[in-house]
Amino acid sequence: MHQAESCLNPSETALRHEAFYVKPFSPMTTANKITILRMLLIPLFVVETIYYVRTGNEVHRLVAILSFALTAILDGVDGYIARHYQQISELGKILDPLADKLLLVSGIVLLSFNNEPYLRQIPLWLTGTIIGRDLLLSIGAGVIHLVVGKIAVRPRMTGKIATVFQMITVVWILLHWDPLFHGWLLQVWIFGAGIFTGISGLQYVFDGMKQLSAHPASLPTQKADSK
């Protein structure tokens, strides 16, 4: 082996060594590890909420609230670490919003069922609006990725406000604060979540249409001249 390598020039020898060299994997960032922990807490929240609705045991409700709160707090923690310690990564850009969506959609869907007498029910029109918007945006993102190749997502303030209203609605019901002010304040959170979810969805659809319109693939195809 060494005699064969001695017959090669230095550049060929370097290429041969590089071919057999396996680069070690870079360690996953702390921010991404926290995001994965957030995703692992979501099934705990779902299971404990279901057990509370079935048994009425307040311990299950407490664990559900704590897991939901911890997941929400860790959302801010991993964002802070990613920004201040230069740990922003392509994986984090995918996992972070996915964890947010999984948590909120899980809470919204769970509270859409008839959970009386333990928990109030979220109206089905709000559940349909939230899931419908997310489904529409996911399909639109896939179409833009296939046609354009790169997706330019512009964060919208209405989307952030919608997320806040959705989170308040879920927490409000879990904490049994819905009877406060005879329930009308809960209706404010519900209608706010629905309105801002719908508006943000329309804005994202408009942004997606602009990206598609600017691409040549959206132009009419020219028919070849017949001979």
Side-chain angles (χ1 to χ4, degrees), residues 1 16 22 25 35 66-67 79 89 111 127 140 144 147 152 158 162 164 168 170-171 188 191 207 209 214 222 225-226:
M1 179 68 179
R16 176 171 293 188
V22 179
F25 289 102
T35 303
L66 290 177
S67 58
S89 63
L111 298 178
T127 307
I144 295 174
V147 175
T158 51
V164 172
I168 291 177
V170 174
V171 173
V188 171
F191 279 101
D207 291 342
M209 292 176 62
Q222 299 294 331
D225 295 333
S226 58

Side-chain angles (χ1 to χ4, degrees), residues 68-107:
F68 188 93
L70 181 58
T71 306
I73 292 172
L74 290 177
D75 182 20
V77 173
D78 64 10
Y80 175 84
I81 293 176
R83 289 189 302 270
H84 287 76
Y85 294 96
Q86 289 76 46
Q87 294 188 6
I88 297 176
S89 63
E90 293 300 322
L91 178 61
K93 292 179 182 179
I94 297 174
L95 291 183
D96 185 67
L98 179 60
D100 293 337
K101 290 299 179 185
L102 288 175
L103 177 64
L104 283 175
V105 170
S106 297

Side-chain angles (χ1 to χ4, degrees), residues 7 41 133:
C7 298
L41 287 172
R133 186 201 67 165

Side-chain angles (χ1 to χ4, degrees), residues 128-140:
T129 300
I130 294 173
I131 295 179
R133 186 201 67 165
D134 293 342
L135 183 61
L136 180 63
L137 295 184
S138 299
I139 295 175

